[in-house]
Amino acid sequence: MTDQVGQVSNAVSEAVTEKVTEHVTFVQWFWHNVLWKPGTGEMLWGMLLRVVFAALLWWIGTRLIRKILGLSLRSKMQLPMDRTMRRFLLNATRTALYALLVLAVIAVLGIPMASVTAVVASTGVTLGLAMQGALSNLAGGIMLTLTRPFAIGDYIEAAQVGGTVDEIGLFYTVLVGIDNKKITVPNGSLMNANITNYSSMAKRRLDLTFLVGRNEDPERVKEILRAAIAVESAVLQPPDAVAAPFVALTELQEKGLLFTLRVWCKNPDYWNLNFALTERIAKAFQQEHISPPAQPYRAVAENEER
């Protein structure tokens, strides 16, 4: 039994030794005939060093770019410009720095720049044809930054949407709706659309209309409207307002008399004044027993079956 165990152990040892010898022989052959072979070894070691240096350059470059962009965000390092231009320049600077870093990595890898230029040119033509919309959005982003029809924080309506401008990017502009929905609009669409900016001016005019019964005295209704205006402190008077408050009978309709009220206010007070005046005038009409407009009616003839 002991002899059999010894024979098995010897057989296993010989098999292991044979396998190890084969691997060692292959490593020795690879070392002498590939890694240290004249020409081949130098090329492999050179490629390995280039890859290592390229990876190191990318690692250092990305951290340096983040450092530069982080310094530009500090309040003491910021240039005297509005948030819209600052954010656009920050995005453009990030794109340019990463593009330079990619070119530097390509150069370290030893790829001929002539070949890279040819590939970039051909790729650019192909992408230009396939990404006309994206290029249009990029051009729109540049034009929006230069012309600045709106800034971050403005409430605008354009391209059949409305909201507060949250970000102006290279390709898209982000709006936040009044119901806190995020709306992303291509810059190309904004450049080709009519833009209404409700926040650009410091003062706005509030227009309200009220329809009352035809039998009411126009002077009495106008006095009620003027009294409601006089109570609201948010209503601007000349010289702070562009014009004095306006109250007039503007239209005689079949259902009643249409009165128009126009006042000027500061832009932030617009909606609060709108709601306050509407509620105050409605209560005043009830207290003064101002009749509502006539309600339309329709006669319906029914056929009775007998």
Side-chain angles (χ1 to χ4, degrees):
M1 185 67 178
T2 304
D3 295 339
Q4 291 179 355
V5 172
Q7 291 177 0
V8 172
S9 299
N10 292 334
V12 172
S13 299
E14 291 177 358
V16 171
T17 303
E18 183 179 357
K19 291 294 182 181
V20 171
T21 303
E22 290 179 358
H23 285 84
V24 171
T25 303
F26 174 77
V27 171
Q28 291 176 348
W29 175 86
F30 183 79
W31 181 270
H32 292 288
N33 293 277
V34 178
L35 295 182
W36 289 107
K37 183 178 180 180
T40 304
E42 296 177 359
M43 181 180 66
L44 291 176
W45 283 111
M47 289 178 59
L48 180 61
L49 290 177
R50 288 179 182 275
V51 171
V52 171
F53 280 119
L56 183 62
L57 176 62
W58 179 263
W59 184 80
I60 296 175
T62 52
R63 277 150 183 78
L64 184 61
I65 291 174
R66 293 173 186 172
K67 188 70 174 179
I68 294 173
L69 297 177
L71 290 175
S72 64
L73 292 175
R74 295 183 180 178
S75 58
K76 296 181 179 179
M77 301 291 294
Q78 290 181 358
L79 297 175
M81 62 179 67
D82 59 7
R83 290 188 299 165
T84 304
M85 181 64 72
R86 185 182 300 115
R87 187 171 297 185
F88 182 85
L89 291 178
L90 184 65
N91 293 334
T93 302
R94 180 187 293 109
T95 302
L97 290 176
Y98 273 105
L100 293 176
L101 179 60
V102 170
L103 292 177
V105 170
I106 291 175
V108 169
L109 290 174
I111 301 175
M113 294 305 298
S115 302
V116 174
T117 303
V119 172
V120 170
S122 59
T123 304
V125 173
T126 305
L127 292 179
L129 296 175
M131 301 178 62
Q132 294 181 2
L135 295 178
S136 174
N137 293 335
L138 176 61
I142 296 174
M143 292 303 299
L144 288 175
T145 305
L146 295 178
T147 58
R148 288 192 286 183
F150 52 82
I152 294 176
D154 289 350
Y155 185 90
I156 66 170
E157 287 183 355
Q160 300 179 351
V161 295
T164 302
V165 180
D166 183 64
E167 179 181 356
I168 302 176
L170 291 176
F171 297 94
Y172 297 94
T173 294
V174 178
L175 307 179
V176 178
I178 56 177
D179 52 356
N180 205 33
K181 290 181 180 179
K182 182 178 179 181
I183 307 170
T184 303
V185 185
N187 289 333
S189 299
L190 288 177
M191 283 302 301
N192 296 323
N194 296 327
I195 301 174
T196 302
N197 191 336
Y198 292 94
S199 305
S200 59
M201 306 301 292
K203 302 172 185 177
R204 286 185 64 181
R205 192 183 75 180
L206 172 63
D207 294 4
L208 295 175
T209 58
F210 299 93
L211 188 62
V212 300
R214 293 187 56 137
N215 297 327
E216 295 296 334
D217 182 9
E219 290 299 327
R220 180 166 172 255
V221 175
K222 288 192 291 185
E223 287 298 325
I224 295 174
L225 296 179
R226 293 191 185 102
I229 293 174
V231 176
E232 294 295 336
S233 60
V235 175
L236 298 179
Q237 301 288 343
D240 295 330
V242 178
F246 171 83
V247 175
L249 172 63
T250 55
E251 189 176 349
L252 180 61
Q253 297 184 2
E254 182 180 357
K255 295 185 294 184
L257 306 177
L258 183 67
F259 290 84
T260 300
L261 179 153
R262 296 172 183 166
V263 294
W264 287 86
C265 64
K266 295 180 180 179
N267 205 320
D269 298 333
Y270 180 85
W271 287 110
N272 289 334
L273 180 60
N274 187 345
F275 301 141
L277 272 178
T278 301
E279 181 178 356
R280 186 179 299 277
I281 292 172
K283 291 181 179 179
F285 282 172
Q286 290 179 353
Q287 293 175 358
E288 297 296 331
H289 304 288
I290 300 298
S291 61
Q295 298 296 323
Y297 66 94
R298 183 180 62 180
V300 179
E302 296 183 355
N303 296 325
E304 295 182 0
E305 295 183 359
R306 298 183 179 178

